[in-house]
């Protein structure tokens, strides 16, 4: 794709091509560089424009020295020879470019195609080794040129020819050598970044694009036309690492530099959607579509953003536009199926998933969703078949649970999907009573389950709280001032994303994106209520600490230390924090993690007149207060410790899934509920009572122990009564 406003050579956006979303770098004129027949130097100047790729004659990126043409001619002969030898066994990978979205958001589905027609080179063969050896001779000839500039020209040209023939590893060697010859030139860094990205080495691609960006900015107007492309490619490389907020900044910069860059706007919208910024995503995607109305991927992601905002009717229309433009667009079809399921149109959803499977037969998620939608449509037998097909594709534990669930539904002969009005009734909270001190209150469990779900999405429970302390000790954060003149260690969201990446370094890129989205929606949206794009880092650490891994006492201590680390508390307070700040923190904590808490109740620090200080010892009771603090943490710890506990063959009497975690047994009617159904107040419809008394069993052994105690008690009473009668008889 040619960059707007620049030269004869597009520079090659990652995934640029024809904006069809084929996956990686496309550069203008990726056809064969020279004709099959080697021509004489006399002929060369006369017809080089006719026989070369566009880039070769470009004033900015083309071949400068005549000896470089000789290298290119000889290289073409080597490539043709290699291609001829490998042609018999080699296969060309032709994929339907309609299937995948552009790099960026909304591509859950597998690896993208690299190019419409991908050449597969067998690097293990002898002829390939001979080719590499001969190529080394050409590189040596380039190195032996009369000047540094000519050597640079030779390596760049060899690299471009190799790149066009999809010999990416070999082209990378040339571009890296060119970087050594002219370190401040933008082009070799840019090309090397493209190669690294195609090879899946996103971190190294990012580093090269940053070097290209630095060189372009230092070079003044000379490389100005290439800046938007560098920003876009850097953004895509960052997304490859999962750094979506950081990518947004570069897409935004590209769109500012080149307002007609519809691809930058599309990628910006997709990335914003990826981190939960739905309104901003819709705006960017609509702008991209305004500039390019037939942009199927933009329609697809716009539909997803509209669905996330609850605008389902328009979302369906946008998905349909994407599918009309690209009938085999898997992303659009798959997401449309999910939308129909959310709307309760199960039959329509199953039909869409059938279309997905027609394009991608081994897509297990589509197969699973087809089973769920058939279940929703009341076709239990067909759902079971579909689920078994999904099991053949993958052996994930949730599929085994789903199959077990289906069997339970069939046994109980529940109507519909097992979740209709006939399968449960919802009881008001006052009718749920607890037996024993260990039994969790229904509302506390509902809140703790919500926090636990957030922990699972973000994987923060696997992040030791000690890492927060390490970040505070090692992070140099300059002071900034709020509108009220209060000093803060605030940080931009993109910089904060880098800290989160270090904390969650064990996550794969795609999982990390989901974690950042959840953190942005739940935490950053509250901490950055003014939408300034900056966050108080100390308060962020304090809010994160209670849900990280580690002993509860250490979590609370690190939360306190995070508040102490903030400028408002750290000066001359003798290891104490302002009570007003402690209360503000606890109210923030509740507003983030406890849905019933209103943000309007949050104390504003600038309006507080209480200047008293509290130590850690005084802070802990405030934190642990059941009504006004974060007392729900004790229930959360119980969930953390028991979320792998299974209870033999016990299934929930409402949802029919195997019980994992705690089992809540109603002591009179003797039915059992899982965590979720208990927290939602669901009971089987055939057990209508004025009051329900539940006892919680954290694991199966507790229930066995309780049963043994009951038998022991019954046996003791029986013996006592027996002994009394014997004495009387005697």
């Amino acid at each position: 794709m040619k960059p707007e406003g620049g030269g004869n050579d597009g520079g090659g956006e990652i995934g640029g091509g024809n904006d069809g979303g084929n996956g990686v770098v496309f550069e203008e004129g990726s056809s064969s560089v020279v004709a099959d027949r080697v021509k004489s130097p006399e002929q060369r100047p006369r017809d080089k424009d006719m026989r070369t790729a566009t880039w070769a004659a470009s004033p900015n990126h083309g071949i400068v020295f005549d000896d470089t043409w000789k290298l290119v001619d000889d290289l073409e002969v080597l490539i043709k020879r290699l291609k001829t030898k490998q042609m018999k066994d080699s296969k060309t990978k032709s994929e339907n470019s309609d299937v995948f979205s552009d790099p960026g958001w909304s591509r859950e589905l597998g690896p993208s195609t690299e190019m419409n027609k991908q050449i597969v080179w067998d690097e293990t063969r002898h002829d390939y080794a001979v080719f590499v050896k001969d190529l080394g001779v050409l590189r040596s000839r380039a190195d032996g040129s009369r000047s540094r500039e000519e050597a640079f020209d030779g390596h760049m040209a060899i690299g471009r020819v190799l790149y066009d023939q999809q010999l990416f590893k070999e082209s990378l060697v040339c571009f890296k050598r060119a970087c050594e010859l002219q370190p401040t030139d933008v082009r070799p860094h840019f090309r090397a970044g493209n190669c690294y990205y195609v090879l899946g080495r996103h971190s190294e691609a990012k580093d090269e694009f940053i070097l290209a960006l630095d060189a372009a900015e230092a070079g003044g107007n000379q490389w100005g036309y290439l800046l938007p492309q560098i920003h876009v490619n850097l953004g895509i490389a960052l997304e490859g690492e999962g750094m979506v907020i950081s990518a947004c900044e570069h897409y935004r910069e590209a769109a500012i530099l080149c307002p007609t860059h519809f691809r930058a706007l599309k990628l910006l919208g997709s990335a914003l959607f990826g981190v939960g910024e739905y309104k901003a995503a819709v705006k960017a995607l609509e702008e991209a579509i305004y500039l390019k109305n037939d942009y199927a991927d933009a329609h697809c992601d716009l539909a997803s953003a509209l669905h996330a905002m609850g605008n389902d009717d328009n979302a369906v229309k946008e998905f349909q536009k994407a599918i009309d433009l690209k009938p085999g667009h898997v992303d659009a079809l798959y997401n449309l199926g999910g939308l129909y399921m959310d709307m309760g149109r199960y039959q329509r959803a199953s039909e869409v998933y059938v279309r997905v499977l027609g394009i991608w037969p081994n897509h297990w998620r589509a197969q699973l969703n087809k089973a769920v939608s058939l279940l929703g449509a009341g076709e239990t037998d067909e759902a079971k078949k579909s689920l078994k097909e999904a099991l053949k594709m993958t052996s994930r534990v949730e599929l085994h649970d789903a199959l077990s669930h289906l069997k339970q539904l069939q046994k109980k002969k529940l109507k519909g999907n097992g979740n209709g009005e006939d399968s449960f009734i919802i009881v008001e909270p006052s009718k749920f009573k607890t037996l024993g001190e260990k039994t969790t209150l229904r509302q506390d469990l509902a809140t703790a389950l919500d926090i636990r779900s957030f922990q699972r999405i973000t994987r923060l429970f696997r992040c030791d709280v000690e890492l927060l302390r390490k970040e505070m000790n090692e992070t140099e954060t300059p002071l900034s001032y709020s509108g009220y003149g209060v000093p803060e260690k605030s940080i931009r969201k993109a910089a904060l994303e880098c800290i989160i990446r270090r904390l969650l370094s064990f996550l794969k890129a795609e999982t990390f994106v989901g974690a950042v989205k959840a953190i942005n929606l739940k935490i950053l949206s509250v901490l950055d209520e003014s939408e300034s794009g900056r966050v108080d880092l100390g308060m962020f650490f304090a809010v994160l600490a209670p849900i990280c891994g580690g002993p509860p006492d250490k979590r609370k201590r690190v939360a306190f230390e995070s508040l102490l680390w903030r400028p408002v508390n750290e000066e001359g307070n003798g290891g104490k924090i302002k009570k007003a700040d402690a209360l503000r923190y606890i109210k923030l904590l509740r507003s983030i993690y406890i849905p019933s808490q209103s943000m309007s109740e949050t104390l504003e620090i600038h309006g507080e007149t209480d200047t008293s200080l509290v130590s850690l010892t005084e802070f802990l009771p405030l934190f642990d207060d059941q009504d006004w603090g974060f007392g729900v943490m004790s229930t959360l710890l119980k969930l953390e410790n028991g979320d792998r506990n299974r209870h033999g063959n016990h299934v929930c009497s409402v949802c029919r899934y195997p019980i994992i975690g705690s089992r809540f047994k109603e002591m009179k009617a003797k039915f059992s509920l899982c965590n979720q159904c208990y927290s939602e107040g669901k009971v089987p419809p055939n057990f209508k009572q004025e009051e329900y008394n539940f006892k919680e069993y954290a694991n199966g052994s507790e229930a066995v122990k309780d049963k043994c105690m009951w038998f022991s008690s019954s046996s003791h009473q029986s013996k006592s009564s027996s002994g009394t009668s014997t004495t009387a008889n005697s």
Side-chain angles (χ1 to χ4, degrees):
M1 171 178 168
K2 187 189 284 188
E4 291 72 5
N8 213 7
D9 170 42
E13 252 182 67
I14 296 176
N18 56 5
D19 292 287
N22 300 319
V24 289
V25 189
F26 270 102
E27 312 192 31
E28 290 231 20
S30 58
S31 59
S32 176
V33 176
V34 295
D36 291 342
R37 185 169 59 86
V38 178
K39 302 196 177 184
S40 67
E42 291 74 25
Q43 290 173 294
R44 196 174 292 120
R46 199 167 52 247
D47 61 359
K48 67 182 180 185
D49 288 341
M50 292 168 55
R51 69 189 181 81
T52 62
T54 310
W55 65 263
S58 162
N60 289 313
H61 297 265
I63 293 171
V64 178
F65 295 90
D66 196 59
D67 281 352
T68 302
W69 286 103
K70 296 175 186 175
L71 289 171
V72 166
D73 287 345
D74 291 347
L75 175 58
E76 184 68 17
V77 172
L78 294 181
I79 291 172
K80 187 184 177 187
R81 187 187 303 156
L82 176 66
K83 199 176 281 187
T84 303
K85 288 181 179 178
Q86 292 211 350
M87 191 68 73
K88 294 175 185 175
D89 305 318
S90 104
K91 294 177 183 174
T92 322
K93 219 169 156 184
S94 252
E95 305 255 8
N96 181 0
S97 64
D98 287 357
V99 168
F100 300 99
S101 291
D102 281 339
W105 191 250
S106 93
R107 195 185 68 234
E108 166 205 60
L109 313 168
S112 70
T113 51
E114 300 299 344
M115 294 187 176
N116 275 342
K117 201 170 185 182
Q118 182 178 345
I119 305 166
V120 180
W121 298 102
D122 186 351
E123 298 178 14
T124 62
R125 290 171 52 134
H126 175 68
D127 48 43
Y128 191 87
V130 171
F131 167 76
V132 172
K133 185 179 177 182
D134 292 340
L135 179 59
V137 174
L138 290 183
R139 289 188 183 125
S140 298
R141 277 171 54 190
D143 281 329
S145 299
R146 284 164 291 187
S147 66
R148 199 178 187 87
E149 289 74 18
E150 190 171 336
F152 173 83
D153 191 50
H155 281 290
M156 285 298 290
I158 294 171
R160 292 296 299 273
V161 175
L162 292 167
Y163 187 93
D164 287 346
Q165 296 299 321
Q166 300 176 40
L167 290 155
F168 301 118
K169 288 180 183 176
E170 307 309 328
S171 66
L172 178 60
V173 174
C174 293
F175 293 136
K176 290 299 286 180
R177 177 65 182 131
C179 289
E180 292 171 8
L181 290 165
Q182 293 192 12
T184 58
D185 195 300
V186 174
R187 294 167 295 177
H189 292 297
F190 186 63
R191 306 266 168 234
N194 290 347
C195 286
Y196 277 128
Y197 184 85
V198 177
L199 294 168
R201 295 159 68 176
H202 300 139
S203 179
E204 290 152 301
K206 175 195 70 178
D207 293 341
E208 288 295 338
F209 288 136
I210 289 171
L211 289 170
L213 197 60
D214 292 343
E217 289 172 345
N221 294 331
Q222 181 187 3
W223 304 111
Y225 75 93
L226 198 52
L227 272 173
Q229 299 301 98
I230 300 171
H231 278 292
V232 166
N233 285 19
L234 177 53
I236 294 172
L238 284 163
E239 279 204 68
E241 288 193 296
M243 306 293 285
V244 183
I245 293 177
S246 302
C248 285
E249 295 208 333
H250 291 285
Y251 297 144
R252 196 175 280 114
E253 188 63 30
I256 291 168
L257 289 168
C258 183
T260 57
H261 203 317
F262 54 82
R263 183 172 167 73
L265 285 162
K266 183 267 170 191
L267 289 167
L268 173 61
S270 302
L272 287 166
F273 169 73
V275 292
E277 304 279 355
Y278 301 129
K279 284 184 182 177
V282 167
K283 187 177 178 183
L285 290 163
E286 285 179 341
E287 186 67 25
I289 290 168
Y290 175 76
L291 293 169
K292 183 176 170 62
N293 190 47
D294 62 347
Y295 205 163
D297 293 332
H299 284 290
C300 176
D301 286 355
L302 175 59
S304 296
L306 290 168
H307 174 43
M309 293 174 68
N311 191 348
D312 288 348
D313 291 338
N314 282 328
V316 170
K317 290 175 186 174
E318 290 297 330
F319 276 133
Q320 202 55 60
K321 284 178 188 174
I323 294 162
D324 290 343
L325 289 164
K326 286 187 178 182
H329 200 304
V330 169
D331 286 341
L333 287 164
Y334 181 84
N335 293 338
L336 178 60
L339 172 54
Y340 279 140
M341 275 176 48
D342 289 347
M343 295 171 77
R345 296 171 64 181
Y346 297 109
Q347 191 61 50
R348 191 79 185 88
S350 67
E351 291 165 9
V352 174
Y353 287 124
V354 167
R355 286 183 67 182
V356 173
L357 291 163
I359 301 163
W360 193 331
N362 62 344
H363 193 320
W364 72 265
R365 289 186 186 277
Q367 192 71 56
L368 175 61
N369 285 350
K370 179 188 168 190
V372 174
S373 53
L374 286 168
L375 192 61
E379 298 180 27
T380 311
D381 291 337
E382 288 300 314
K384 196 172 178 181
K385 287 179 190 174
S386 187
L387 196 55
K388 283 181 177 177
E389 285 298 317
L391 267 171
K392 290 177 186 176
M393 298 174 193
T394 182
S395 294
R396 295 171 72 98
V397 68
E398 58 259 44
L399 291 185
H400 291 281
D401 282 348
L403 193 57
S404 173
H405 176 224
L406 264 176
K407 287 175 181 174
Q408 288 292 335
L409 290 180
Q410 286 183 319
K411 281 180 188 175
K412 291 291 178 181
K413 296 182 180 176
L414 293 174
K415 295 178 185 176
N417 64 355
N419 289 326
E421 291 181 356
D422 60 334
S423 64
F424 63 83
I425 55 174
I426 296 178
V427 177
E428 62 184 72
S430 61
K431 290 187 176 182
F432 266 37
K433 306 294 181 184
T434 58
L435 295 175
E437 293 179 1
K438 291 183 179 179
T439 305
T440 308
L441 293 171
R442 174 176 149 186
Q443 186 52 49
D444 285 353
L445 182 60
T447 302
L449 280 170
D450 184 61
I451 300 170
R452 185 73 184 123
S453 173
F454 178 69
Q455 279 183 314
R456 285 200 182 98
I457 293 168
T458 59
R459 311 300 201 278
L460 281 165
F461 65 96
R462 287 176 55 194
C463 166
D464 195 290
V465 74
E466 192 64 41
L467 291 174
L468 300 186
R469 186 180 280 157
K470 184 183 175 189
E471 284 291 338
M472 284 185 281
N473 291 334
E474 296 178 1
T475 303
E476 294 277 338
T477 311
L479 292 180
S480 60
Y481 289 84
S482 66
Y484 307 103
V486 179
E488 285 183 348
K489 287 180 179 175
S490 71
I491 190 170
R492 288 187 59 78
K493 282 186 180 180
L496 180 62
E497 184 182 43
C498 295
I499 293 174
I500 298 170
R501 192 70 184 107
R502 289 197 293 271
L503 295 174
L504 300 174
S505 59
F506 51 85
L507 291 184
K508 290 181 180 176
E510 58 272 20
T511 315
F512 178 71
V513 172
V516 169
K517 178 180 181 179
I519 290 169
N520 189 43
L521 286 170
K522 198 171 188 76
I523 298 176
L524 303 187
S525 61
V526 176
L527 295 183
D528 182 30
E529 198 184 9
S530 64
E531 297 183 0
S532 66
R534 301 188 72 88
V535 175
D536 181 334
L537 188 55
M539 190 62 82
F540 175 75
F541 285 148
V543 166
L544 225 56
I547 64 166
C548 285
D553 292 344
K554 186 184 278 189
R555 298 188 205 181
K556 295 171 194 176
R557 178 180 286 276
V558 171
F560 180 81
E561 289 174 4
S562 302
L563 297 174
L564 192 61
W565 183 70
R566 299 169 70 238
V568 72
N569 290 313
E570 69 181 355
E571 293 178 9
N573 290 342
K576 294 184 177 182
I577 62 174
K578 291 178 181 176
K579 186 175 183 181
D581 203 44
L583 292 173
R584 177 174 178 266
Y585 159 67
I586 287 168
K587 291 202 171 187
L588 265 174
L589 200 62
R590 288 178 65 85
S591 67
I592 288 168
Y593 294 121
I594 304 174
S596 59
Q597 178 75 16
S598 170
M599 258 306 288
S600 61
E601 296 176 31
T602 306
L603 286 175
E604 295 293 343
I605 192 166
H606 59 274
E608 240 350 273
T609 55
D610 189 347
T611 56
S612 61
L613 304 174
V614 293
S615 64
L616 174 62
T617 312
E618 295 164 316
F619 169 79
L620 292 175
L622 295 173
F623 184 95
D624 290 330
D625 189 283
Q626 200 66 38
D627 297 319
W628 302 106
F630 200 63
V632 73
M633 188 169 168
S634 57
T635 307
L636 178 63
L637 291 167
K638 193 187 290 187
L639 288 176
E640 288 177 13
N641 295 328
D643 65 357
R644 290 182 181 273
N645 291 341
R646 291 183 177 246
H647 297 259
N649 295 323
H650 286 286
V651 297
C652 175
S653 299
V654 170
C655 70
R656 312 307 303 170
Y657 271 104
I659 294 177
I660 303 171
S662 288
R663 174 164 72 100
F664 292 86
K665 184 179 180 182
E666 208 290 318
M667 302 310 287
K668 181 180 176 183
K670 306 295 182 187
F671 65 82
S672 296
L673 299 179
C674 65
N675 278 327
Q676 195 65 45
C677 291
Y678 173 79
S679 71
E680 294 170 1
K682 294 177 180 177
V683 298
N686 48 330
F687 292 113
K688 292 183 180 178
Q689 299 172 192
E690 284 300 313
E691 189 175 278
Y692 298 85
N693 294 285
F694 286 97
K695 187 164 185 179
E696 179 179 356
Y697 294 107
N699 51 53
S701 60
E702 282 189 10
V704 171
K705 186 178 176 183
D706 204 28
K707 206 168 187 179
C708 290
M709 287 176 68
W710 183 83
F711 277 126
S712 175
S713 171
S714 300
S715 173
H716 180 70
Q717 288 175 4
S718 173
K719 283 180 181 177
S720 297
S721 60
S722 173
T724 305
S725 60
T726 305
T727 307
N729 289 339
S730 61

